[in-house]
Amino acid sequence: MNYDRYYACDMVNGEGLRLTLFVTGCAHACPDCYNRSTWDRRAGQPFTEAIRDRILDLCAEHDGLSLSGGDPLFPANRTAVADLCRRFKQRYPDKDIWLWTGYRHEEVQHLPLLQDVDVLIDGPYLKDLPTTKPWRGSDNQRLIRLASGETT
């Protein structure tokens, strides 16, 4: 897996103070996507063990980890994302993980890595459906609290 960047001090991508990782690789190709530069999975830099460990260390002073992109659930990203989520939850069991994906929850709910994700924002970005809902780019996207099943 490659990544484009991470924000070590983010208050925009989820509740509280977060570390947000932007991975590369996305097959959705949503028109007017904000992160078009992350579509190519070969773009960015390799997500090494050293970067993974740096991110985990930085999360010590944060409320949680946010995963965006590209698409963290792009098939080529799933193994590394699952490993990062598992390690994060082992180290910080009381902190949460938020994940943005262009897939609908129904398409990916079978993925074991979602066991470690607390909040899923699903669905492709649709430029013709503007929204005022927090943490979403378009009105079709849902915020799903996976443990409770609450959807907004």
Side-chain angles (χ1 to χ4, degrees):
M1 176 175 87
N2 283 0
Y3 76 103
D4 183 68
R5 65 194 177 281
Y6 66 86
Y7 296 152
C9 187
D10 189 3
M11 296 179 67
V12 175
N13 292 296
E15 296 169 335
L17 179 62
R18 315 192 64 75
L19 186 138
T20 301
L21 172 67
F22 294 86
V23 302
T24 63
C26 184
H28 305 292
C30 302
D32 290 344
C33 172
Y34 176 75
N35 288 329
R36 188 179 192 121
S37 64
T38 65
W39 290 359
D40 182 351
R41 71 181 185 92
R42 295 167 299 197
Q45 306 165 63
F47 189 74
T48 63
E49 288 180 18
I51 293 297
R52 181 201 65 208
D53 293 345
R54 172 82 174 133
I55 285 172
L56 290 171
D57 289 346
L58 288 168
C59 287
E61 302 301 321
H62 293 67
D63 296 307
L65 173 66
S66 293
L67 303 170
S68 190
D71 194 329
L73 299 185
F74 181 73
N77 294 338
R78 292 176 184 175
T79 299
V81 168
D83 177 66
L84 176 61
C85 290
R86 183 176 51 257
R87 289 173 186 271
F88 177 88
K89 284 299 193 173
Q90 287 170 348
R91 194 162 171 180
Y92 306 112
D94 296 327
K95 297 184 182 195
D96 61 15
I97 297 174
W98 287 46
L99 188 148
W100 279 256
T101 182
Y103 296 102
R104 299 291 288 171
H105 179 238
E106 294 78 9
E107 298 174 277
V108 294
Q109 65 187 350
H110 67 282
L111 295 175
L113 76 87
L114 290 182
Q115 295 173 56
D116 291 320
V117 174
D118 299 284
V119 177
L120 183 75
I121 288 67
D122 80 337
Y125 169 70
L126 299 175
K127 68 178 182 173
D128 295 330
L129 291 178
T131 189
T132 58
K133 297 173 187 171
W135 305 300
R136 283 154 278 194
S138 57
D139 204 53
N140 63 298
Q141 294 174 321
R142 300 176 294 182
L143 186 150
I144 305 166
R145 297 186 186 274
L146 294 175
S148 69
E150 176 190 352
T151 301
T152 57

